[in-house]
């Protein structure tokens, strides 16, 4: 098999595994939402993530030496931003139609473009601006025409995506000088006390009497499938561009729609399908433009 064809097939396999792992994460969060509040769910995820990062970091040369030079305030700031976005996203998965949440995650490139223009002073082309407007029109189509009771709660997954996009761009900047495993290790370590604090402020759900064997599959799915999703994306990034990854990743939307419909009896109306298609088309267009622009815009294209 020619090398290029092999790379395409490898990319498709890794992206398919990434989408499958994402579906497991979504189903796990929805299952745990009946037992835990978002802070408890996030805490469980971070404990598993911290343990995994410690194992990987212990086997990665040079992590200890870099750790002595890192800026703790920089890592803390990123951890807070990522935690806020994570809590909003977990709440959204537990309370909103899954297809809606998955669609809103593809607004990430719009936030990335805004950050590139406002913070980094990059010039954004007319095509990219039109693509951003296409995403906005898609969101408006869902917000105003869907028959599903959404209301202002639509803003929660959008805000979550904006915060997580900013945290992703921070990580990409930090990764130029620090191993990614160290960044993830610091994030998980800082976020554990953050989630403990938010849980205390909002009030923990009483887990007395919970059958932990019943929720163990969801806990394992949340922790390990989440790690698998990132690992598969990392593998795919070695054989293709961020543009192609974004194109394939839009298949996540119909996959999540199917999960919501078949697994949770969620309805799918024309407004949701049309709006999701517009959002996905805009995200792909932004990604294509990113491949033609400076490196920062390429990073933006990979934030979905």
């Amino acid at each position: 098999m020619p090398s290029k064809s092999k790379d395409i097939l490898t990319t498709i396999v890794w992206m398919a595994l990434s989408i499958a792992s994402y579906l497991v994460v979504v189903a796990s969060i929805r299952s745990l939402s009946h037992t835990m509040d978002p802070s408890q769910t996030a805490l469980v995820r971070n404990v598993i993530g911290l343990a995994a990062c410690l194992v990987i970091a212990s086997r990665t040369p040079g992590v200890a030496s870099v750790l002595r030079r890192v800026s703790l305030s920089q890592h803390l700031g990123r951890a807070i931003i990522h935690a806020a976005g994570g809590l909003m996203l977990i709440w959204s998965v537990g309370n909103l139609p899954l297809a809606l949440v998955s669609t809103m995650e593809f607004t990430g490139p719009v936030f990335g473009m805004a950050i590139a223009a406002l913070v980094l002073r990059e010039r954004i082309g007319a095509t990219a601006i039109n693509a951003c407007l296409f995403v906005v029109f898609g969101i408006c189509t869902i917000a105003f025409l869907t028959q599903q009771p959404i209301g202002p709660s639509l803003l929660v997954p959008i805000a979550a995506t904006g915060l997580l996009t900013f945290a992703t761009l921070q990580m990409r900047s930090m990764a130029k000088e620090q191993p990614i495993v160290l960044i993830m290790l610091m994030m998980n370590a800082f976020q554990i006390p953050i989630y403990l604090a938010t849980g205390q402020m909002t009030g923990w759900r009483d887990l007395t009497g919970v059958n932990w064997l019943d929720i163990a599959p969801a806990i394992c799915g949340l922790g390990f499938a989440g790690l698998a999703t990132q690992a598969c994306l990392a593998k795919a990034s070695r054989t293709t561009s961020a543009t192609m990854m974004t194109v394939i990743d839009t298949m996540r939307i119909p996959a999540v729609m199917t999960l919501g419909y078949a697994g949770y009896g969620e309805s799918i109306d024309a407004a949701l399908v049309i709006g999701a298609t517009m959002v996905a088309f805009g995200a792909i267009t932004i990604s294509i433009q990113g491949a033609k622009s400076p490196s920062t815009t390429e990073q933006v294209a990979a934030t979905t």
Side-chain angles (χ1 to χ4, degrees), residues 42-152:
L43 182 62
V44 168
R45 180 194 63 186
N46 271 71
V47 169
I48 296 174
L50 179 61
C53 287
L54 284 171
V55 172
I56 297 172
S58 66
R59 301 182 179 184
T60 303
V63 171
S65 59
V66 176
L67 180 59
R68 301 188 188 98
R69 304 192 304 269
V70 300
S71 169
L72 294 181
S73 60
Q74 183 184 36
H75 281 277
L76 176 60
R78 180 180 179 275
I80 292 173
I81 293 171
H82 188 279
L87 287 173
M88 290 181 183
L89 191 59
I90 290 172
W91 181 90
S92 299
V93 172
N95 295 276
L96 299 176
L98 297 181
L100 172 72
V101 178
S102 180
T103 299
M104 293 307 104
E105 286 187 90
F106 280 89
T107 61
V110 176
F111 287 103
M113 283 289 183
I115 293 170
L118 299 175
V119 179
L120 303 176
R121 303 297 182 184
E122 287 192 4
R123 184 177 179 180
I124 307 300
T127 302
I129 293 174
N130 290 333
C132 289
L133 292 176
F134 217 77
V135 172
V136 173
F137 290 151
I139 294 172
C140 291
T141 299
I142 296 172
F144 296 111
L145 298 181
T146 185
Q147 299 177 359
Q148 303 188 41
I150 298 172

Side-chain angles (χ1 to χ4, degrees), residues 138 261 271:
Y261 177 79

